[in-house]
Amino acid sequence: MFGGTSPLLLLGLLVGAASFTSPNRYGSARRPSSGAATSTQRYLFNLGSSGAKIPSSPSDRDNAAISAVKAAIQKPRTPSCPLIECEFPALTALNKLGDGSLRSSLEAEDANVAFANKLVNGIATPFIGPKVCLVMSSSASNALVGKVEKKVRGATLHSLKEGMPEVEKGGVCVFLTPSSQRDYQAARTLAESGCATVLVNGSFKDQKSVPGAATMAYFVKPLTYNSQVAGYLIRSYPSKWTVLDATSKSALGSFSDEQILVEKTNTPDLRESGRLVQKAVDERAIKARAGM
C-alpha cells in the first residue's frame, strides 16, 4: 500500500501503517453495532463505483481522494464548519514510511506535492472556479515552498509565515501537510468563517487540532497483524468507514462517523477495525489447516 525541514518534521509528514495492538492515545470512541459486518456488505453492494475499495495504484488512490474531497466540499458533514481532511500513506512502499531516511522523507514530500497539484486542478475548473489558495505550513522550508511554486499550477500560493490568507467568497483553501497548532488554528478559523478548507496529510495532531465537526473526506490506513498488512480502514466520503481484508478484498465491517470517531475529534478509533482484521486472518488460517 501507499504510504520537509528538520528530521522530526520530515518524519511527521509520513503516515505509517497502524498496528491495532498499539494503545489508543485519544481515548474511547463509541463502539459499532453488533451487526456492522452484515450491514457493510449490504451497503457496499449498493455503492457502485463510489464505494470504499483498496486503491490499486497511486493514481487510483488520488482519483478516489479527489472525488471524495469534492463531495465533501459540496456537502460537508457539518455545513457550518466546512473543514475537510484527506489522510493516506504518501509512499507506495510501507517499509519506507518509518525508516527515517532523508531520501524517503523527500520522496514522501514529492508525493504530497504531486497530489496537491492534482487536487487543485481537480477542484478548480478553468474560467469557472472556484479559486483555490494553496496554504503552506508556517514551518515549511524554503526548499519545499520552491518545489510547490514549480510544480503546482492553478492555485494562489500562500505561506502562513505571512499571516492569514485572503480568500474570495466561494474560494477553497488547501493546506499542504499542516504540522503545527498554528496551522490547524488557521484552518479552523477559515472554515468557521465559511471557507471550504482542506487539510492534506496533516501531522503532529492532538485532540484539539481538528474538531469533531470536521469531515474526513478520504482516509486510508493499513492495519497490520503479525507484522504484515492484513487489512485497511478506508473512508471515501460520503461512504461509511469500511474495514477491508487485504487478501480477499472483502468488507469486514462498516461504521458511521458517530460509531468510529473518538469523541470530539475527527480521528477514528482503530481498535474495532483491528479486531475485525485479526478475526479474518485467524479464521482463514484455521480453514487452511483444516484443508477447507
Side-chain angles (χ1 to χ4, degrees):
M1 187 57 206
F2 322 119
T5 224
S6 67
L8 180 60
L9 178 58
L10 287 169
L11 289 175
L13 299 178
L14 305 179
V15 183
S19 171
F20 50 80
T21 57
S22 300
N24 175 21
R25 60 188 177 91
Y26 291 102
S28 63
R30 286 151 288 199
R31 293 177 61 84
S33 63
S34 58
T38 301
S39 63
T40 301
Q41 295 184 13
R42 288 199 304 265
Y43 185 73
L44 287 179
F45 285 137
N46 293 325
L47 282 176
S49 60
S50 64
K53 68 174 185 175
I54 301 171
S56 59
S57 66
S59 178
D60 185 33
R61 175 206 64 199
D62 292 350
N63 291 336
I66 293 169
S67 293
V69 168
K70 291 172 68 175
I73 291 173
Q74 182 176 10
K75 190 176 181 180
R77 187 163 67 98
T78 307
S80 62
C81 184
L83 183 58
I84 298 157
E85 281 197 276
C86 184
E87 185 175 324
F88 53 81
L91 299 179
T92 303
L94 284 180
N95 61 351
K96 291 186 177 184
L97 293 173
D99 66 8
S101 71
L102 178 60
R103 179 177 179 178
S104 293
S105 298
L106 292 176
E107 287 180 2
E109 184 179 276
D110 289 344
N112 281 318
V113 171
F115 173 73
N117 183 53
K118 290 183 180 180
L119 178 61
V120 165
N121 287 279
I123 294 173
T125 302
F127 310 112
I128 298 177
K131 291 188 176 181
V132 179
C133 178
L134 184 63
V135 182
M136 302 298 297
S137 170
S138 55
S139 58
S141 68
N142 291 333
L144 175 57
V145 173
K147 188 180 298 183
V148 171
E149 289 176 334
K150 292 180 180 179
K151 297 186 177 182
V152 178
R153 297 288 182 266
T156 301
L157 181 64
H158 180 85
S159 172
L160 285 178
K161 294 176 183 179
E162 303 169 359
M164 292 289 287
E166 295 183 3
V167 185
E168 295 184 7
K169 184 177 181 179
V172 176
C173 275
V174 175
F175 280 63
L176 178 61
T177 57
S179 58
S180 70
Q181 289 310 307
R182 179 181 175 184
D183 298 341
Y184 292 114
Q185 179 58 56
R188 291 197 302 273
T189 299
L190 286 167
E192 290 167 357
S193 71
C195 174
T197 304
V198 183
L199 307 177
V200 176
N201 282 342
S203 60
F204 299 114
K205 294 188 294 184
D206 60 25
Q207 286 181 292
K208 297 180 180 180
S209 298
V210 183
T215 303
M216 183 64 79
Y218 190 71
F219 183 92
V220 175
K221 179 72 73 175
L223 301 169
T224 62
Y225 181 47
N226 292 335
S227 301
Q228 300 290 326
V229 175
Y232 298 88
L233 174 62
I234 296 179
R235 202 289 171 81
S236 186
Y237 190 81
S239 301
K240 290 185 177 182
W241 298 77
T242 305
V243 182
L244 297 169
D245 184 89
T247 300
S248 68
K249 308 297 189 296
S250 62
L252 303 176
S254 75
F255 316 114
S256 66
D257 289 305
E258 291 73 23
Q259 290 173 323
I260 199 171
L261 293 180
V262 177
E263 190 173 1
K264 296 181 180 181
T265 78
N266 201 41
T267 302
D269 186 332
L270 302 177
R271 292 174 296 180
E272 185 63 25
S273 301
R275 283 190 280 266
L276 288 173
V277 169
Q278 180 180 2
K279 180 181 179 181
V281 172
D282 289 344
E283 289 180 347
R284 187 158 47 243
I286 292 173
K287 289 181 179 179
R289 287 195 294 269
M292 298 173 64

